[in-house]
């Protein structure tokens, strides 16, 4: 395997801890694990015949958690804390809610390799998109909704110079004071 800049022989495993960091379970991602989980696609990284098949962390997360909860049916944590390797909309959908494993909250740092569908927008240190005209201006949050099929929340952001103004027909509409508005005045992000 190639890990942290080095080729090495290693046993890859997943470890589940409680909130205090005490190990509750270890699952070795060996041939028995792969055989027990045929739903996991395992890809080879090269054509070398002696190259072992490699299992990505994100692919193993949900099966490892499901195995753990089968072994410990009375253990019902409400919060998931993982690293940025798990920052994807698919994983959020599988972790949260009644359709998923059932966590109430998932805290996963943003993966710096993830990208926005709007390349002109940059993210600040808190993960909030910034104005494409002035990266010092964070976009304003405007609530969250669930428009995705998996039911995961999406977060809507609008231009930092936007305000709601009452129009002639009595309805309130978005208006911006930006001198150079871009093609999009709002941005909806999924936690991925």
């Amino acid at each position: 395997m190639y890990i942290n800049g080095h080729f090495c022989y290693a046993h890859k495993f997943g470890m589940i801890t409680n909130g205090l960091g005490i190990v509750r379970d270890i699952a070795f991602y060996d041939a028995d694990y792969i055989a027990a989980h045929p739903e996991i696609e395992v890809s080879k990284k090269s054509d070398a015949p002696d190259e072992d098949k490699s299992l990505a962390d994100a692919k193993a997360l949900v099966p490892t958690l499901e195995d753990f909860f089968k072994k410990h049916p009375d253990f019902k944590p409400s919060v998931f804390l993982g690293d940025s390797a798990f920052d994807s909309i698919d994983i959020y959908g599988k972790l949260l809610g009644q359709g998923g494993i059932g966590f109430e909250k998932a805290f996963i740092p943003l993966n710096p390799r993830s990208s926005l569908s709007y390349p002109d927008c940059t993210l600040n240190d808190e993960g909030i998109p910034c104005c494409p005209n002035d990266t010092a201006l964070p976009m304003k949050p405007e609530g969250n909704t669930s428009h995705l099929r998996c039911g995961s929340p999406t977060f809507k952001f609008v231009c930092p110079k936007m305000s709601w103004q009452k129009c002639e027909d009595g309805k309130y509409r978005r208006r911006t004071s930006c001198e150079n508005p871009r093609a999009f005045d709002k941005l909806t992000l999924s936690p991925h």
Side-chain angles (χ1 to χ4, degrees):
M1 298 183 96
Y2 187 73
I3 301 174
N4 295 336
H6 301 282
F7 285 101
C8 65
Y9 291 97
H11 291 287
K12 196 163 187 177
F13 64 92
M15 181 170 37
I16 297 173
T17 66
N18 65 12
L20 299 174
I22 297 170
V23 176
R24 297 291 312 254
D25 192 47
I26 296 176
F28 285 94
Y29 301 147
D30 54 12
D32 294 335
Y33 183 89
I34 300 300
H37 297 284
E39 73 277 9
I40 300 176
E41 291 182 25
V42 181
S43 59
K44 287 182 79 89
K45 297 213 178 212
S46 77
D47 292 331
D50 59 343
E51 170 70 20
D52 194 14
K53 291 185 176 183
S54 179
L55 176 61
D57 296 340
K59 290 182 182 179
L61 173 66
V62 173
T64 300
L65 287 171
E66 288 171 344
D67 289 351
F68 174 76
F69 289 123
K70 283 179 190 170
K71 289 189 257 180
H72 306 281
D74 296 331
F75 189 65
K76 306 265 187 229
S78 60
V79 177
F80 174 84
L81 177 63
D83 70 12
S84 63
F86 307 128
D87 179 26
S88 84
I89 191 64
D90 293 332
I91 289 179
Y92 281 99
K94 291 174 183 172
L95 293 175
L96 301 171
Q98 293 185 0
I101 292 176
F103 289 103
E104 293 173 21
K105 295 178 184 177
F107 293 101
I108 301 171
L110 294 174
N111 189 337
R113 293 179 301 247
S114 294
S115 62
L116 293 173
S117 55
Y118 298 100
D120 290 345
C121 282
T122 57
L123 297 176
N124 67 14
D125 291 340
E126 283 116 30
I128 297 173
C130 297
C131 174
N133 295 329
D134 182 359
T135 56
L137 289 174
M139 303 275 273
K140 292 195 307 192
E142 195 179 69
N144 62 347
T145 56
S146 288
H147 294 294
L148 301 175
R149 283 180 281 169
C150 66
S152 293
T154 57
F155 301 96
K156 187 184 293 184
F157 295 90
V158 296
C159 174
K161 296 183 178 182
M162 191 280 302
S163 62
W164 288 94
Q165 294 179 1
K166 192 172 185 176
C167 297
E168 300 83 32
D169 60 3
K171 295 182 180 179
Y172 285 85
R173 291 191 176 83
R174 287 187 186 98
R175 298 291 182 242
T176 183
S177 61
C178 183
E179 296 172 6
N180 185 19
R182 299 297 287 259
F184 53 91
D185 65 344
K186 63 181 178 178
L187 179 64
T188 303
L189 298 176
S190 302
H192 69 303

